[in-house]
Amino acid sequence: MNRSLGTTTAKGRQISHVPNYVILTVLLVFSLGPLLVMAFNSLKSRTDVADNPLGLPRNFVWSNYREAWDVGNFSTTMVNSGILVAATVIGVLLLGGMAAYSLAKLDLPGAGALMLFLLVVSSLPIHLFLVPLFVLWRELGLLNTVFGLVLIYIALNAPLAIFLLRSYMIQLPRDFEDAARVDGAGEWQIFSRIVVPLSWPGFLTVGLVVALAVWNEFLLATVFLQDESKFTVVTSYQNFATRFSRDWSLTSAAAVIMIVPIVAIFLTFQRRFIEGMTQGGTKG
Amino acid sequence: MSETAIQVRPGLEVRRRRWNRASYRRKVIPWLFVLPVLLINLLVVLGPTLAAVYYSMTDWSGIGAADFVGLANYRQLFFEDDSFKTAFVHNLMWMAMFLTVPIAMGLLGASLLAPIKRGALFFRMALFIPYVLPSVVVAHLWSSLIHPDRGVVGWLNERGVSGMDVAFLGRESTVLPTIAFIDNWRWWGFLMVLFLAGMQNIPPDLYEAARLDGANRWQEFRDVTLPGIRPILVFMILMTGIWSFLTFDLIWIITQGGPAGASEVLSVLVFKNAFQNFEAGYAAALGITMSLFVGFILSIFVVLRRRGWEI
């Protein structure tokens, strides 16, 4: 990383970084303070949260979590969200990876037109095609089905995945593929045995970014999965938090339950997340 | 697509009598690899988009038959529907706010973070965390925090801080800036990380040279940092312009456009017309109008670039 010289010095002159740390700490409190308050409140009793909405809990009411888990129906919604995420990630990586391979390595005739198409498609607002899509899905019997929503998620996430994976695959040396082609390997074998294993970091990055997007997605999940038994963590929390909006300790506990997996995975893979999202921001 | 279809059936043309493996491999196989994703995109995005163009010229309710009404929906939209004008103004205000506050905060955070080493990774991660949270959590967390009876606002009010006896989300004058504030809370950290990545690519010699010339912090920022991250900065300004026309989640979750339409934006109007008023044709016209604004912003960008602006 091309960072300038640590905490001090430029040709002998000392530059204090104390003001940097002071202001950054203020920003840190702004960003994480609300989350800390939420974590504290998730452990308070109802009277405690009313008297003292901002401070530490007087005693730790761990049973809030048990209650939030049951009332929020997390044992169902976690599974629903997990299936949606897994199916979408597999679909995007497989189909997007194939398309990226074709664009990066196979001299696809009409590649420029396809890239343009994907760029246009990925920048169309959802609200433009939401209503006809809803009606089409109703006619096709895909409404209220996991498969139907996964198809939509694949379509919307694939362009970004293709751009990122393509730029990754283009950098791979051609030697291995050429050798395999000489040996008579088919393109599918080259793709699955050579290119995918070599570009796995790209796949991991895209998979993480897509997983996060699907886990957090609100609008489409609300519109396309209206059956309560199919609710995702997010749509179910929306109902739950609206119904119990006065019960701050319970809604906080439920929120903590749903963001702990995200934050844990984010912290573990933060470099890849940030790489994927920032590239998504600049290349999408 | 049609060209490949022709090439798959070589027997049709006499001149191309020899259909060999090599050209199959060169021309057909690449398309087989993109076909699945292409078909899904046609089904999910392109088909419904074209349908929306047609439905925007009908009085369709979303169920059953649709009568063609020409441009009546658009006429109503531009000349009769006050809620459209209000929502459009709200989108512009939203854009103005997102073009200033989060970009300034992102630049501030990134320029403070770029030169330090100790703790840089920690700050970068921590300030990014709000961006990875789902909208529903952000919405309900902040609704509670600024609730006048509970939360920070109520707490400050009890301690006599003036101006805190207000239901920020319940008043027409404050609701939109308040939701924008909440959205910015999770958004600016993302910008900061983008800007930071740009700043880390600026050669350190430029800073040294500026310091040798006696530049102070502000001059350094203005003359070295800003030009150094110009591509990403301009790009994010463009994207902010686009996204501000598409914003939906937080507003919908927190107020559904209320009170009395004071936080209604275009996307909320589309949603209400489509799924609550069953005016699918009208909703389609709104959606297309929204997309045209987005296209308009993009084309400004393209024109400026053609004219030689380095953006």
Side-chain angles (χ1 to χ4, degrees):
Chain A
M1 214 170 282
N2 201 352
R3 190 174 299 174
S4 70
L5 302 172
T7 14
T8 41
T9 107
K11 290 264 156 84
R13 209 150 63 110
Q14 296 286 111
I15 292 169
S16 163
H17 288 304
V18 172
N20 296 38
Y21 284 105
V22 171
I23 302 174
L24 283 169
T25 307
V26 173
L27 291 171
L28 187 72
V29 170
F30 173 63
S31 280
L32 293 191
L35 294 174
L36 269 186
V37 168
M38 185 170 81
F40 291 161
N41 286 351
S42 73
L43 290 166
K44 290 174 189 169
S45 67
R46 308 235 146 104
T47 47
D48 196 2
V49 87
D51 300 342
N52 157 39
L54 297 177
L56 279 163
R58 275 190 222 116
N59 38 29
F60 292 81
V61 187
W62 292 101
S63 63
N64 285 341
Y65 280 91
R66 162 119 244 137
E67 199 184 338
W69 180 274
D70 291 337
V71 181
N73 205 13
F74 277 104
S75 48
T76 306
T77 60
M78 285 273 184
V79 174
N80 292 350
S81 283
I83 292 173
L84 270 177
V85 167
T88 306
V89 167
I90 291 171
V92 168
L93 291 186
L94 177 66
L95 304 182
M98 283 163 57
Y101 172 65
S102 178
L103 283 164
K105 296 288 189 188
L106 297 184
D107 299 324
L108 176 78
L114 181 68
M115 293 283 281
L116 186 66
F117 171 77
L118 291 173
L119 192 67
V120 169
V121 158
S122 67
S123 53
L124 291 176
I126 289 178
H127 286 88
L128 173 61
F129 53 87
L130 182 62
V131 182
L133 180 63
F134 177 78
V135 174
L136 179 64
W137 253 224
R138 198 176 58 201
E139 299 301 316
L140 294 176
L142 291 171
L143 208 57
N144 264 322
T145 66
V146 172
F147 177 70
L149 186 56
V150 166
L151 273 187
I152 301 174
Y153 283 152
I154 290 177
L156 298 183
N157 285 295
L160 175 66
I162 293 172
F163 294 136
L164 290 181
L165 290 175
R166 176 183 162 273
S167 65
Y168 209 95
M169 290 176 184
I170 275 182
Q171 298 163 4
L172 297 178
R174 282 203 172 231
D175 313 355
F176 294 113
E177 307 155 42
D178 290 341
R181 273 192 198 104
V182 169
D183 289 348
E187 295 301 343
W188 176 258
Q189 283 174 310
I190 297 172
F191 169 68
S192 58
R193 302 259 171 84
I194 298 173
V195 173
V196 171
L198 284 178
S199 44
W200 71 266
F203 279 88
L204 178 59
T205 301
V206 171
L208 287 168
V209 172
V210 171
L212 180 72
V214 172
W215 182 272
N216 284 350
E217 206 282 329
F218 172 73
L219 171 61
L220 294 165
T222 309
V223 171
F224 286 90
L225 293 179
Q226 295 172 340
D227 185 354
E228 198 160 347
S229 67
K230 300 214 168 77
F231 276 2
T232 67
V233 170
V234 160
T235 51
S236 156
Y237 181 79
Q238 167 65 2
N239 278 9
F240 171 83
T242 312
R243 196 150 44 106
F244 292 93
S245 65
R246 306 207 63 84
D247 196 338
W248 202 8
S249 50
L250 202 59
T251 54
S252 296
V256 171
I257 291 174
M258 67 190 283
I259 66 175
V260 159
I262 311 173
V263 174
I265 293 177
F266 168 71
L267 293 180
T268 316
F269 295 103
Q270 61 93 16
R271 249 176 233 287
R272 297 209 170 280
F273 263 109
I274 289 180
E275 178 196 287
M277 289 193 205
T278 50
Q279 284 188 3
T282 49
K283 286 191 187 149
Chain B
M1 288 309 303
S2 57
E3 68 182 295
T4 45
I6 290 167
Q7 283 157 5
V8 180
R9 286 178 283 152
L12 291 178
E13 277 185 42
V14 188
R15 254 184 282 162
R16 209 176 278 171
R17 59 193 178 280
R18 200 182 295 157
W19 174 252
N20 53 32
R21 266 184 69 88
S23 74
Y24 169 77
R25 193 160 179 163
R26 258 200 339 269
K27 296 196 171 142
V28 179
I29 288 187
W31 276 102
L32 292 179
F33 272 85
V34 297
L35 203 57
V37 98
L38 194 61
L39 288 178
I40 294 178
N41 258 287
L42 291 176
L43 183 71
V44 172
V45 183
L46 195 65
T49 298
L50 296 178
V53 175
Y54 169 71
Y55 284 127
S56 76
M57 292 181 274
T58 69
D59 65 353
W60 193 41
S61 68
I63 303 171
D67 293 324
F68 190 78
V69 294
L71 296 177
N73 285 329
Y74 292 96
R75 202 174 306 132
Q76 188 186 345
L77 196 68
F78 284 106
F79 300 112
E80 290 161 34
D81 189 350
D82 285 337
S83 64
F84 169 74
K85 264 175 232 143
T86 318
F88 183 68
V89 170
H90 289 158
N91 275 109
L92 289 180
M93 288 161 62
W94 192 268
M95 172 156 52
M97 140 73 193
F98 272 86
L99 283 175
T100 49
V101 179
I103 288 183
M105 286 179 72
L107 283 174
L108 174 73
S111 59
L112 294 172
L113 204 44
I116 70 175
K117 209 165 200 175
R118 190 167 300 167
L121 184 67
F122 166 74
F123 278 110
R124 188 179 75 151
M125 251 160 57
L127 297 175
F128 195 78
I129 281 181
Y131 182 70
V132 305
L133 303 179
S135 316
V136 284
V137 166
V138 175
H140 290 285
L141 166 62
W142 276 98
S143 301
S144 300
L145 281 175
I146 59 177
H147 194 281
D149 300 334
R150 309 168 252 145
V152 186
V153 169
W155 187 84
L156 288 171
N157 187 34
E158 271 173 34
R159 273 147 197 82
V161 178
S162 66
M164 287 294 152
D165 54 346
V166 173
F168 285 101
L169 290 170
R171 288 203 320 185
E172 291 179 31
S173 58
T174 52
V175 62
L176 197 65
T178 305
I179 304 177
F181 169 86
I182 297 170
D183 205 357
N184 173 43
W185 173 73
R186 69 159 170 190
W187 175 240
W188 78 272
F190 173 66
L191 287 184
M192 184 202 76
V193 169
L194 283 180
F195 295 153
L196 184 62
M199 288 178 193
Q200 284 165 345
N201 287 329
I202 300 174
D205 336 353
L206 292 181
Y207 286 102
E208 302 218 351
R211 275 170 212 149
L212 287 178
D213 288 346
N216 60 30
R217 273 172 199 266
W218 167 249
Q219 288 164 330
E220 237 179 75
F221 175 76
R222 193 192 57 196
D223 298 332
V224 181
T225 309
L226 270 189
I229 62 161
R230 186 169 141 157
I232 179 72
L233 183 61
V234 173
F235 183 79
M236 288 322 293
I237 287 174
L238 169 74
M239 295 314 288
T240 305
I242 291 174
W243 286 328
S244 55
F245 271 99
L246 307 179
T247 181
F248 176 77
D249 280 17
L250 274 188
I251 293 179
W252 181 256
I253 297 166
I254 296 177
T255 63
Q256 308 211 338
S263 60
E264 233 161 47
V265 290
L266 293 175
S267 62
V268 169
L269 272 189
V270 174
F271 197 85
K272 280 187 172 171
N273 275 298
F275 294 106
Q276 293 184 347
N277 307 342
F278 301 105
E279 300 267 8
Y282 194 63
L286 263 166
I288 287 179
T289 310
M290 244 173 102
S291 311
L292 290 179
F293 287 131
V294 170
F296 177 68
I297 295 172
L298 264 173
S299 57
I300 294 179
F301 179 73
V302 172
V303 167
L304 289 181
R305 194 173 237 187
R306 284 256 167 85
R307 290 217 177 157
W309 288 39
E310 279 178 37
I311 52 179

